[in-house]
Amino acid sequence: MSETRPQPVLRTARPEDDEELARLDRSTWSPLHAVLPRPRPPYPPFFDERHAPEDVVVAELDGRVVGYIRLVPPTRLACNAHVRQIQGLAVADEVRGLGVGRALVRAAVEDSRRRGARRITLRVLGHNTPARALYASEGFVVEGVLPGEFHIDGRYADDVLMGRAL
């Protein structure tokens, strides 16, 4: 008999998730996906004027936040309002491989549809092979590459633009 994997509970973030999400964000920081330097105290809040709780889907396992995905309009332009952009995805190290990231990407796609979007886009570092594979398996295609766009840990990294229709 095969063991079934626990399924994450997905929900919209709440203001009281701020510290737990900020802690998760800091604990999953890596040059594999981060363009900003490693966070140092004093730590800013997770939610701010550009990123509200309603922009974030949280994944919980056993009542504990183990992942999130942030989904926002890419610009404030009315002519771009039909697009949503993933601007952050994190999964706790101890639950990687359990399908949490995939569940969050699928939730982002469904949330975008529900909000009337026609497209969903994202940016990912060229060397982040696991994330690129996940996105590709969920229907995202490479729509552009900015070669050497970032200098991280002494190396140049491509900025890969991906998207999909909804």
Side-chain angles (χ1 to χ4, degrees):
M1 190 178 252
S2 67
E3 193 176 318
T4 60
R5 288 198 256 185
Q7 293 300 306
V9 173
L10 303 177
R11 63 170 175 80
T12 302
R14 300 182 291 256
E16 57 267 24
D17 294 322
D18 187 272
E19 183 51 41
E20 197 168 6
L21 287 167
R23 212 173 10 259
L24 175 65
D25 213 38
R26 291 190 302 270
S27 73
T28 58
W29 183 94
S30 166
L32 181 64
H33 59 78
V35 295
L36 295 174
R38 181 180 297 279
R40 304 265 185 246
Y43 300 119
F46 185 81
F47 300 119
D48 58 28
E49 62 280 348
R50 290 182 26 237
H51 305 105
E54 58 268 16
D55 298 329
V56 178
V57 176
V58 168
E60 289 183 333
L61 280 173
D62 299 323
R64 192 171 60 84
V65 173
V66 294
Y68 78 83
I69 193 163
R70 183 184 294 131
L71 189 65
V72 298
T75 70
R76 295 181 179 165
L77 300 170
C79 61
N80 191 224
H82 64 286
V83 180
R84 302 288 287 171
Q85 187 173 64
I86 295 172
Q87 289 186 358
L89 170 64
V91 175
D93 290 340
E94 67 271 15
V95 299
R96 287 182 191 251
L98 297 180
V100 174
R102 183 172 307 280
L104 287 165
V105 170
R106 288 178 177 173
V109 167
E110 288 310 310
D111 184 66
S112 296
R113 282 188 180 121
R114 189 172 51 255
R115 292 179 187 232
R118 297 184 49 133
R119 280 182 41 78
I120 184 170
T121 64
L122 61 91
R123 297 169 71 169
V124 61
L125 293 174
H127 60 261
N128 191 345
T129 307
R132 291 180 64 185
L134 169 63
Y135 295 133
S137 73
E138 290 298 321
F140 288 82
V141 297
V142 173
E143 297 179 336
V145 177
L146 303 175
E149 185 73 1
F150 298 107
H151 191 256
I152 302 168
D153 269 3
R155 295 183 181 162
Y156 290 96
D158 295 348
D159 189 9
V160 179
L161 314 176
M162 299 182 80
R164 64 167 280 184
L166 296 174

